[in-house]
């Protein structure tokens, strides 16, 4: 997921902050304000949002990790299931055990791409959902891995995938589905549980979070397309899941899942907590930014209460 330009629907997104609000936030901190829950989701139906990408009208496409679903949440808070991926006969996904739909990316023509991890050779990989179509696998990934974060490089026709178990960033060709182990290294490896997790393409590089190590990494894309040296850009982010850039240089907002926090990270600065459980977070998983509007998904993995989609505004 890359930075998002200001879409035509931004005014509607701003309106949604007012129309579909929960109780006023009590702990939201600069540069964020006006934190409100846009949509309360149904945990019993498996609506635990893992990742998010935005539509031009400001609606949000999300993955429901355990329900194997791709869904769209409108600015009226309505949730529409777009597709359900096929279930494996016997799921054997590393770490989690169940079939998991994780990262999501969007092409300009509305095509959605998602990662699907099942622990089986026939289903694990990158799947495509064309507008009005049905999901189809376009690239296989190792069944003993856990494909997680996903980003699209539309200019070069590639997808980048963070593997949380194998500590690898895969590059997948949209042309023929071939995969390449684009980047590997200790910095991407797990240190007991989950390694490389969230992934974004930003300013000529692939940025990756490592949950176990509490880091955000930057991997330059070299002129020949290969991976440059892995650079550590932020530390002290224990339990980090995914993240999104604010549009101001390399400033970003990161979801700390188990801490129920969104933190604001600036180059060389200490992370600052800007959203907490008091604002509506319930194990936040991912962040997307559209103009001055911030979208945060919460999956309630551990709280088991109120998975949701929260909106806030960047005021600084």
């Amino acid at each position: 997921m890359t930075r998002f330009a200001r879409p035509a629907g931004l005014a509607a997104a701003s309106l949604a902050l007012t129309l579909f609000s929960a109780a006023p936030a009590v702990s939201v901190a600069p540069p964020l304000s006006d934190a409100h829950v846009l949509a309360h989701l149904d945990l019993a139906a498996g609506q635990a949002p893992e990742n998010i990408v935005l539509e031009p009208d400001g609606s949000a496409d999300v993955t429901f990790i355990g329900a194997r679903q791709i869904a769209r949440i409108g600015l009226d808070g309505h949730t529409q299931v777009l597709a359900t991926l096929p279930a494996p006969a016997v799921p054997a996904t590393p770490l989690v055990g169940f079939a998991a739909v994780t990262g999501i990316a969007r092409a300009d023509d509305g095509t959605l791409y998602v990662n699907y991890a099942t622990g089986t050779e026939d289903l694990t990989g990158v799947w495509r959902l064309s507008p009005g179509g049905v999901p189809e696998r376009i690239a296989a990934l190792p069944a003993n891995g856990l494909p997680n974060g996903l980003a699209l490089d539309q200019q070069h026709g590639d997808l980048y995938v963070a593997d949380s178990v194998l500590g690898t960033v895969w590059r997948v060709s949209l042309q023929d589905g071939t995969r390449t182990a684009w980047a590997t290294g200790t910095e991407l490896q797990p240190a007991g549980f989950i390694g490389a997790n969230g992934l974004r393409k930003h300013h000529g590089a692939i940025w990756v979070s490592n949950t176990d190590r509490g880091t955000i990494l930057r991997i330059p894309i070299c002129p020949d397309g290969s991976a440059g040296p892995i650079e550590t850009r932020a530390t002290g982010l224990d339990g980090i899941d995914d993240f999104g850039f604010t549009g101001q240089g390399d400033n970003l907002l990161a979801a700390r899942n188990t801490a129920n926090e969104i933190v604001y990270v600036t180059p060389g600065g200490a992370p600052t907590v800007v959203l907490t459980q008091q604002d509506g977070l319930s194990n936040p998983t991912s962040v997307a930014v559209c103009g001055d509007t911030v979208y945060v998904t919460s999956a309630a993995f551990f709280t088991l209460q109120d998975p949701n989609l929260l909106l806030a505004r960047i005021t600084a």
Side-chain angles (χ1 to χ4, degrees):
M1 192 184 311
T2 56
R3 282 192 303 139
F4 294 92
R6 187 182 184 93
L10 184 58
S14 298
L15 179 62
L17 291 174
T18 302
L19 294 179
F20 306 101
S21 61
V26 295
S27 63
V28 62
L32 299 189
S33 66
D34 302 327
H36 299 81
V37 173
L38 174 66
H40 297 276
L41 302 170
D42 186 350
L43 189 64
Q47 293 182 346
E50 166 63 15
N51 207 237
I52 183 173
V53 69
L54 303 181
E55 290 287 328
D57 66 355
S59 59
D61 297 326
V62 301
T63 51
F64 289 148
I65 183 170
R68 314 189 318 277
Q69 291 176 338
I70 305 166
R72 180 165 297 158
I73 302 174
L75 288 174
D76 60 356
H78 175 71
T79 300
Q80 173 192 5
V81 174
L82 302 178
T84 301
L85 272 65
V90 181
T93 309
L95 297 183
V96 299
F98 58 85
V101 182
T102 53
I104 186 170
R106 182 186 184 278
D108 289 344
D109 66 359
T111 298
L112 298 175
Y113 299 91
V114 297
N115 289 331
Y116 190 31
T118 66
T120 64
E121 296 285 351
D122 60 327
L123 295 176
T124 300
V126 180
W127 288 64
R128 176 175 60 204
L129 178 64
S130 300
V134 297
E136 57 179 338
R137 189 171 74 160
I138 63 167
L141 291 170
N144 63 338
L146 178 58
N148 204 331
L150 178 67
L152 171 64
D153 181 352
Q154 192 161 268
Q155 179 182 359
H156 297 99
D158 293 318
L159 290 158
Y160 290 87
V161 179
D163 193 311
S164 296
V165 169
L166 301 180
T168 299
V169 174
W170 301 99
R171 184 174 63 192
V172 173
S173 169
L174 291 178
Q175 183 176 359
D176 57 15
T178 57
R179 71 175 190 247
T180 303
W182 183 75
T184 59
T186 302
E187 299 92 336
L188 297 166
Q189 291 287 333
F193 187 48
I194 294 177
N197 191 332
L199 185 148
R200 298 286 181 267
K201 181 178 180 289
H202 174 72
H203 288 174
I206 298 300
W207 295 63
V208 185
S209 61
N210 186 311
T211 300
D212 282 351
R213 301 179 190 273
T215 55
I216 292 178
L217 311 168
R218 179 183 184 272
I219 311 172
I221 302 173
C222 296
D224 64 357
S226 63
I230 299 174
E231 310 162 1
T232 300
R233 287 301 184 93
T235 60
L237 300 171
D238 295 347
I240 185 174
D241 197 324
D242 217 322
F243 57 96
F245 291 93
T246 65
Q248 301 173 13
D250 292 339
N251 298 348
L252 58 87
L253 295 161
R256 293 186 62 206
N257 187 287
T258 52
N260 283 306
E261 292 177 350
I262 298 297
V263 295
Y264 181 55
V265 182
T266 59
T272 302
V273 177
V274 293
L275 291 171
T276 72
Q277 194 166 7
Q278 292 174 293
D279 298 304
L281 300 183
S282 185
N283 302 134
T285 51
S286 61
V287 180
V289 179
C290 171
D292 64 359
T293 304
V294 176
Y295 297 65
V296 180
T297 54
S298 285
F301 290 143
F302 307 108
T303 65
L304 301 179
Q305 295 181 0
D306 192 25
N308 64 63
L309 174 62
L310 178 148
L311 271 63
R313 191 187 309 279
I314 300 175
T315 56

